[in-house]
Amino acid sequence: MSLRHIITLPDPKLRLISKPIERVDAALTRLIDDMIETMHDAPGIGLAAIQIAEPIRLLVVDVAKKEEPAAPQVFVNPEILWRTDERSTYEEGCLSIPEYYAEVERPASVRVRALDRDGKEREVLAEGLLATVLQHEIDHLDGVLFIDHISKLKRDRVIKKFQKAAKRAGEGSHVL
């Protein structure tokens, strides 16, 4: 296993629509293990493959509390089958938009179908935090960021802040 680099805003790859995975094989299993290690190290509770510049429909989540053992879940080609009309609001953050948080309202429950790490189909009825994390990560697979769910004014400020930071970082690196 190895840690992967998490890409951050304003990287245009974050807006790509990820491609379906055709088969679960040893290479994909290694990527899954890398993603779980990267997510835990960050630390985060969800990671989509596009966040490590892999534009495929794969995500990992782990919503276990700090005092509980890790309980990572793998979702290959996840698809939301159903959303409740009931809404819930969580303060969301994102490993690709570090140190920025905002209240986002989403459906309180979702039913998701996906393959697991062994290629077996499963359905999950997710509520609460897991429902929010799954929706957040599936959004990533469709090129949508959580800041797309907040006001245009706030979103534009965040994007501008990260664009300036990226420009400053680029100016500071010179090849000698």
Side-chain angles (χ1 to χ4, degrees):
M1 292 191 297
S2 62
L3 292 177
R4 299 290 192 101
H5 172 71
I6 297 172
I7 60 175
T8 58
L9 199 66
D11 193 314
K13 290 183 201 88
L14 290 169
R15 295 300 188 172
L16 294 175
I17 296 175
S18 297
K19 303 280 188 239
I21 294 169
E22 294 187 18
R23 67 182 175 280
V24 176
D25 56 17
L28 186 69
T29 301
R30 281 191 301 278
L31 178 62
I32 289 167
D33 291 339
D34 288 353
M35 286 178 61
I36 291 169
E37 184 178 2
T38 301
M39 174 184 64
H40 284 149
D41 183 71
I45 59 174
L47 185 68
I50 192 62
Q51 292 179 271
I52 58 167
E54 295 283 349
I56 58 174
R57 298 192 75 79
L58 170 65
L59 61 91
V60 297
V61 302
D62 190 342
V63 294
K65 293 178 174 63
K66 285 184 168 78
E67 65 276 3
E68 297 173 348
Q73 297 181 60
V74 175
F75 294 83
V76 177
N77 296 330
E79 172 187 10
I80 296 176
L81 303 174
W82 169 86
R83 295 171 170 87
T84 184
D85 290 335
E86 183 185 341
R87 311 292 283 183
S88 66
T89 302
Y90 279 91
E91 184 179 66
E92 293 187 27
C94 182
L95 297 175
S96 292
I97 309 174
E99 299 177 22
Y100 180 77
Y101 302 90
E103 297 280 318
V104 176
E105 183 182 278
R106 297 181 185 267
S109 302
V110 292
R111 180 176 297 281
V112 174
R113 178 174 46 216
L115 301 178
D116 66 14
R117 71 180 294 130
D118 299 318
K120 293 188 179 85
E121 188 174 293
R122 69 184 208 150
E123 282 189 20
V124 174
L125 175 59
E127 299 176 331
L129 180 59
L130 180 59
T132 296
V133 174
L134 285 172
Q135 291 172 84
H136 176 113
E137 300 306 333
I138 291 170
D139 272 357
H140 272 299
L141 304 181
D142 295 323
V144 176
L145 301 173
F146 87 96
I147 58 173
D148 296 333
H149 296 284
I150 62 177
S151 75
K152 181 175 177 1
L153 179 66
K154 287 181 182 177
R155 180 174 53 251
D156 289 348
R157 281 187 194 150
V158 173
I159 291 169
K160 186 177 252 181
K161 173 185 168 188
F162 279 86
Q163 286 171 333
K164 283 182 179 177
K167 186 176 180 186
R168 279 194 308 272
E171 290 169 355
S173 57
H174 300 289
V175 178
L176 299 176

